[in-house]
Amino acid sequence: MRYSYQRRTCAIARAKMFPKGTKRKFSDSREEPVAGGEDVNQSSLAAVRMLSSYSLQRQSLLDMSLIKLQLCHMLVEPNLCRSVLIANTVRQIQEEMTQDGTWQIMTQALSAANAAAQCSADRLVATEVLCRQTEAAQGEQVPKPFPVVGSEGCPAEEVLEEEEEAAAAEVGMTMSTVSPQAPTSYLPGTFGMDPCWEEEETGEDDDDDDEEEEEDSEECGSGSEGEERERDSLVEDTRTAEQVFGTFEIKNPAPSPDPALEELFSDVDASYYDLDTVLTGMQSVPKMGPYDLLESLSSHGPSPLSSSTSCRSDLNELDHIMEIIVGS
Amino acid sequence: MCKADIISTVEFNYSGELLATGDKGGRVVIFQREQESKNRPHSRGEYNVYSTFQSHEPEFDYLKSLEIEEKINKIRWLPQQNAAHSLLSTNDKTIKLWKISQRDKRAEGYNLKDEDGRLRDPFRITSLRVPVLLPMDRMVEASPRRIFANAHTYHINSISVNSDHETYLSADDLRVNLWHLEITDRSFNIVDIKPANMEELTEVITAAECHPHQCNVFVYSSSKGTIRLCDMRAAALCDRQSKFFEEPEDPSSRSFFSEIISSISDVKFSHSGRYMMTRDYLSVKVWDLNMENRPVETYQVHEYLRSKLCSLYENDCIFDKFECCWNGADSAIMTGSYNNFFRMFDRNTRRDVTLEASRENSKPRAILKARKVSTGGKRKKDEISVDSLDFNKKILHTAWHPKENVIAVAATNNLYIFQDKIN
């Protein structure tokens, strides 16, 4: 059932990105080995489907929100109110998903996908690599990797995300474009884009269309998501990377440096402007996509790791300098 | 349609004689009501263009590598103190005080200079004459008298002139500043909700307004659907509110969009100062300033959109900021919707009407027909179904004459002025 959920999620998200008519297949969902020895209770199939529908809507909303937070070649400062509201929505979804255990499954799938996939060029527009670091270790048990995910030849999706950050905006830092060699990660929704998925999918399930239409309606209460609870209850991921607002920098090609400005910032560590240096200074972990970033949205409390703290304190310092310059 | 022509703010002045509009291209257009002439007693004064000027220009912030839009976010008139009119107009970062003065007379018959301005030879002056004032073509000039800049890190969303006529406040996403109209190099920060750690930011300021009579009181609304009333006498930094207005959430209608649709896009005090009105995505609420725990009246603007929130989130329409306004007597309120519809609610009779601002439906002197959106399965004739609404045609800005039943409605790049029917 876990696999079925993932397939549906990715397929729905994929259907949103591609024109209709792309076929999706669900018929082999029952044949896949189910982890943990869970059995699908045939009598509760209907209930499970309803829960899946809610989960799908929620997932779709999450995907949509993350895409909205993505910035590409922004000319004008984005609307802070809109960004805050979207980020709050994402946080809310993530909290709920963490509570019912869906979150862990998704992030596990991501790690498995990262491990299996090759890193190569992007398909979607690459914007920024996250200026952050994460703890690689996950203390909890690792579930079986999903069979479908583990194929080779799937183009890696380098979907990166940034969030306009007012503090960073104040600082006025611009980051250089990420180099293609940067490790990549997947959006779960992008699984469907992989040719390996396309090969397998032939039939189309009518249920999908119903669920897509349902997405427009208000989400119903989640109720007890017994399906997800049946899975291994994973310990919540304790990654403590920086949260959305502290993490992202505004991406813009830096204008040719003004000598006066250069002088002004001469004592600022220029490595800030070199994304690679920043990344190297951190633990080398596979870069993660927006979903991993979401981890940080839930953790308001935990203190960030030391280098990210220094990152932030320098940001505050630059912030302070900027305020003096601006005279506010 | 040119994007720069999209109207971004509409405001009547204190007498209602002038109506100012600002647009995305940074221009301000002021309309003046023609005096009712004796020749046509049945024709109310019409509004004609009085003055047009470029208030703000696009700027480039070199430090952030970002453009600063010239779009006029708000215009607020100052009370008239002499023959000239003054208004404040603001874009995202800079507020400007404009003086609009007109000349319709000129003096002739100077002693020291002749008609074309050249100085007369003093020996040629043999007699003294008194210059006379002769009418000339009216000339309206707008000049920027004050520029209030560099006080806002974030985007300015509101300005409000205080009842003392000496100060005004300006609010951005995280701060509210208080200015003196005469002093441009300094402002007092009176509200600051910026968290020490920007990562903890979950709420922003969406609107602010001064109380119409008490010059020490102002309110500001937030993206979480709350309103805080502050008293400037209490402390220099009004971080602690005097009153906190919030309606408890209805748990049965909770969804992932609850917070977004609760975000307040506009807050307006009634003329009396006893009430205030807030606009969130789906409704307008009237609050009694003496009751903080819930509004006294709630009006549904377009409840039929509640089942479409996901689509509206997808196309970003859910973030549209609608404004609202009171009529002069505080007995009616008006706000905009989609498909060029706008809604008016009578507070006394509880009746409401939906009208449309469009060229096809608005011939001069024609009476507007009430519109209806069909929500059920059956669509009656003349009704419009929710799915055929045009979400690109949104009425965000409306204004009501302070004394009469004259309203101004901005529909994208068109301005409609409607008046009460005269018998």
Side-chain angles (χ1 to χ4, degrees):
Chain A
M1 281 316 286
R2 182 192 302 157
Y3 164 60
S4 160
Y5 160 77
Q6 277 295 340
R7 280 299 289 263
R8 285 175 161 215
T9 307
C10 307
I12 294 293
R14 169 172 164 248
K16 277 196 162 328
M17 294 184 198
F18 284 106
K20 288 210 171 185
T22 311
K23 307 244 183 211
R24 302 180 298 276
K25 184 183 174 215
F26 285 82
S27 57
D28 57 334
S29 63
R30 287 183 292 273
E31 295 160 27
E32 292 299 333
V34 179
E38 299 145 23
D39 272 328
V40 178
N41 189 346
Q42 291 297 324
S43 64
S44 65
L45 200 60
V48 160
R49 277 215 172 146
M50 194 182 74
L51 294 168
S52 292
S53 163
Y54 171 78
S55 305
L56 285 168
Q57 291 173 30
R58 187 176 59 184
Q59 184 71 44
S60 155
L61 186 62
L62 183 63
D63 292 343
M64 209 193 304
S65 304
L66 291 171
I67 291 169
K68 280 181 183 300
L69 289 175
Q70 206 168 18
L71 289 175
C72 294
H73 305 297
M74 177 188 56
L75 275 178
V76 186
E77 251 180 299
N79 189 336
L80 185 64
C81 180
R82 176 179 173 272
S83 308
V84 167
L85 289 172
I86 297 172
N88 287 353
T89 307
V90 165
R91 208 177 270 131
Q92 212 184 318
I93 297 173
Q94 193 252 333
E95 271 167 20
E96 195 182 282
M97 286 175 86
T98 308
Q99 271 168 22
D100 61 37
T102 324
W103 188 255
Q104 284 72 17
I105 290 120
M106 196 171 63
T107 50
Q108 293 306 329
L110 279 171
S111 334
N114 273 341
Q118 301 167 356
C119 305
S120 65
D122 52 329
R123 195 181 292 193
L124 286 183
V125 176
T127 51
E128 280 293 275
V129 173
L130 307 175
C131 172
R132 48 165 291 167
Q133 56 182 332
T134 57
E135 287 169 0
Q138 298 170 30
E140 57 281 5
Q141 87 187 76
V142 178
K144 281 189 207 169
F146 298 159
V148 183
V149 172
S151 0
E152 295 196 23
C154 305
E157 210 65 37
E158 189 178 37
V159 178
L160 308 161
E161 186 186 53
E162 67 185 339
E163 163 69 352
E164 64 273 24
E165 204 279 80
E170 280 181 62
V171 170
M173 296 191 347
T174 61
M175 305 288 268
S176 53
T177 315
V178 63
S179 62
Q181 280 77 33
T184 62
S185 70
Y186 289 100
L187 263 181
T190 65
F191 286 152
M193 289 176 165
D194 301 337
C196 53
W197 282 69
E198 281 181 21
E199 282 166 36
E200 291 179 50
E201 292 161 2
T202 52
E204 184 160 359
D205 196 295
D206 285 341
D207 288 348
D208 299 342
D209 293 335
D210 297 332
E211 274 150 0
E212 276 197 35
E213 273 147 27
E214 276 168 36
E215 276 161 2
D216 276 349
S217 63
E218 193 179 359
E219 276 98 338
C220 46
S222 63
S224 67
E225 310 217 88
E227 176 194 19
E228 278 81 10
R229 283 212 196 98
E230 279 175 5
R231 306 183 217 275
D232 319 307
S233 54
L234 303 171
V235 174
E236 185 170 326
D237 204 319
T238 56
R239 275 173 260 198
T240 60
E242 293 181 3
Q243 301 182 17
V244 175
F245 289 103
T247 302
F248 298 110
E249 313 293 337
I250 292 178
K251 178 225 157 116
N252 258 301
S256 53
D258 186 27
L261 280 179
E262 290 273 69
E263 199 195 355
L264 200 60
F265 289 102
S266 57
D267 56 336
V268 172
D269 186 5
S271 66
Y272 258 126
Y273 294 86
D274 185 351
L275 186 58
D276 291 336
T277 317
V278 172
L279 289 175
T280 321
M282 301 173 167
Q283 290 180 16
S284 53
V285 288
K287 268 301 138 217
M288 284 176 278
Y291 282 94
D292 310 295
L293 176 70
L294 293 175
E295 285 300 317
S296 62
L297 288 175
S298 65
S299 54
H300 288 269
S303 56
L305 298 170
S306 58
S307 47
S308 62
T309 312
S310 75
C311 234
R312 207 163 335 123
S313 66
D314 283 329
L315 275 175
N316 287 335
E317 205 182 285
L318 280 166
D319 189 350
H320 180 58
I321 294 170
M322 282 314 304
E323 291 203 282
I324 293 169
I325 293 168
V326 173
S328 58
Chain B
M1 184 212 21
C2 179
K3 209 174 166 202
D5 292 335
I6 295 175
I7 298 170
S8 50
T9 183
V10 184
E11 185 81 357
F12 280 99
N13 75 337
Y14 283 80
S15 63
E17 182 208 353
L18 299 176
L19 174 67
T21 63
D23 64 24
K24 263 194 153 180
R27 281 171 312 218
V28 171
V29 180
I30 301 178
F31 298 85
Q32 185 190 43
R33 198 176 198 190
E34 296 303 327
Q35 297 300 322
E36 291 176 32
S37 70
K38 300 271 190 315
N39 302 336
R40 297 159 66 195
H42 293 299
S43 132
R44 286 276 192 91
E46 287 182 356
Y47 283 85
N48 298 316
V49 177
Y50 177 66
S51 169
T52 305
F53 56 93
Q54 186 77 32
S55 171
H56 287 72
E57 299 276 1
E59 286 170 35
F60 194 77
D61 183 338
Y62 293 98
L63 290 166
K64 298 182 205 174
S65 295
L66 291 171
E67 267 185 30
I68 299 174
E69 274 191 318
E70 67 274 30
K71 172 170 80 93
I72 308 292
N73 291 337
K74 283 287 179 334
I75 288 175
R76 289 288 182 264
W77 289 92
L78 296 177
Q80 194 175 5
Q81 284 168 338
N82 48 39
H85 300 276
S86 302
L87 58 79
L88 289 170
S89 75
T90 184
N91 69 348
D92 283 339
K93 299 285 184 181
T94 306
I95 306 144
K96 294 187 184 180
L97 194 158
W98 288 86
K99 187 169 105 165
I100 300 105
S101 47
Q102 71 176 46
R103 280 202 296 169
D104 54 8
K105 294 182 184 53
R106 62 185 167 86
E108 246 183 48
Y110 284 99
N111 288 291
L112 295 175
K113 57 182 180 183
D114 49 22
E115 298 315 321
D116 39 8
R118 277 181 306 187
L119 289 173
R120 285 170 80 191
D121 189 359
F123 294 106
R124 297 281 175 87
I125 303 172
T126 52
S127 60
L128 198 63
R129 59 184 180 178
V130 178
V132 289
L133 288 175
L134 297 173
M136 62 180 246
D137 289 335
R138 188 179 73 181
M139 204 169 68
V140 181
E141 289 176 322
S143 59
R145 304 300 284 211
R146 308 264 187 280
I147 297 181
F148 305 91
N150 299 326
H152 285 281
T153 314
Y154 305 98
H155 291 179
I156 298 174
N157 52 53
S158 314
I159 46 174
S160 179
V161 182
N162 211 343
S163 52
D164 60 8
H165 300 167
E166 283 184 356
T167 57
Y168 75 95
L169 64 74
S170 60
D172 65 27
D173 293 317
L174 298 179
R175 298 193 178 101
V176 180
N177 292 336
L178 184 72
W179 302 81
H180 192 282
L181 284 165
E182 300 290 325
I183 300 168
T184 58
D185 59 356
R186 235 177 309 145
S187 70
F188 291 102
N189 175 243
I190 52 177
V191 175
D192 188 341
I193 65 165
K194 183 180 171 197
N197 202 345
M198 274 302 275
E199 298 158 5
E200 289 159 11
L201 179 66
T202 56
E203 191 175 10
V204 299
I205 296 172
T206 51
E209 200 182 42
C210 291
H211 191 278
H213 308 307
Q214 297 167 34
C215 57
N216 53 299
V217 172
F218 67 97
V219 292
Y220 67 94
S221 61
S222 83
S223 56
K224 287 199 169 172
T226 65
I227 309 103
R228 288 170 175 81
L229 186 143
C230 301
D231 187 335
M232 287 190 265
R233 294 173 304 192
L237 187 63
C238 301
D239 272 350
R240 285 226 305 265
Q241 63 270 5
S242 301
K243 295 194 186 189
F244 182 75
F245 298 83
E246 185 179 28
E247 183 171 24
E249 195 189 352
D250 175 13
S252 65
S253 64
R254 173 132 192 92
S255 76
F256 286 119
F257 304 112
S258 295
E259 187 185 312
I260 299 178
I261 62 169
S262 74
S263 174
I264 290 172
S265 51
D266 194 16
V267 64
K268 291 263 170 47
F269 278 105
S270 65
H271 291 91
S272 62
R274 243 201 88 184
Y275 299 96
M276 67 176 175
M277 164 167 61
T278 58
R279 174 71 156 99
D280 50 72
Y281 190 62
L282 296 179
S283 67
V284 182
K285 296 178 181 169
V286 175
W287 302 77
D288 185 323
L289 292 186
N290 296 318
M291 186 161 71
E292 297 167 54
N293 57 350
R294 62 177 175 80
V296 289
E297 293 153 33
T298 302
Y299 301 93
Q300 300 301 336
V301 181
H302 36 218
E303 182 69 12
Y304 47 79
L305 294 182
R306 195 181 283 273
S307 57
K308 305 280 178 195
L309 290 179
C310 196
S311 312
L312 294 165
Y313 180 71
E314 194 171 6
N315 62 16
D316 264 11
C317 281
I318 208 174
F319 300 108
D320 286 336
K321 292 193 191 284
F322 291 94
E323 291 173 10
C324 52
C325 58
W326 298 86
N327 70 341
D330 296 336
S331 60
I333 57 184
M334 172 168 65
T335 188
S337 177
Y338 293 104
N339 208 69
N340 279 347
F341 287 170
F342 59 99
R343 304 262 283 137
M344 289 162 77
F345 302 92
D346 186 318
R347 292 179 64 210
N348 299 324
T349 64
R350 291 305 176 117
R351 284 189 14 213
D352 62 89
V353 68
T354 305
L355 300 169
E356 183 177 356
S358 72
R359 267 187 225 273
E360 303 85 51
N361 300 329
S362 310
K363 315 262 181 324
R365 313 259 176 266
I367 296 178
L368 285 175
K369 197 173 68 164
R371 309 300 309 233
K372 191 136 173 20
V373 177
S374 74
T375 50
K378 287 215 179 111
R379 187 171 75 85
K380 299 199 193 95
K381 183 173 169 286
D382 281 350
E383 282 188 359
I384 293 186
S385 73
V386 184
D387 298 311
S388 5
L389 293 175
D390 188 343
F391 289 96
N392 291 319
K393 294 187 182 162
K394 43 192 101 172
I395 292 183
L396 304 172
H397 313 286
T398 58
W400 206 313
H401 191 289
K403 299 190 178 76
E404 300 180 29
N405 277 345
V406 178
I407 56 173
V409 175
T412 320
N413 59 334
N414 293 314
L415 179 72
Y416 292 83
I417 300 177
F418 300 110
Q419 306 195 30
D420 229 4
K421 154 169 91 85
I422 313 152
N423 290 327

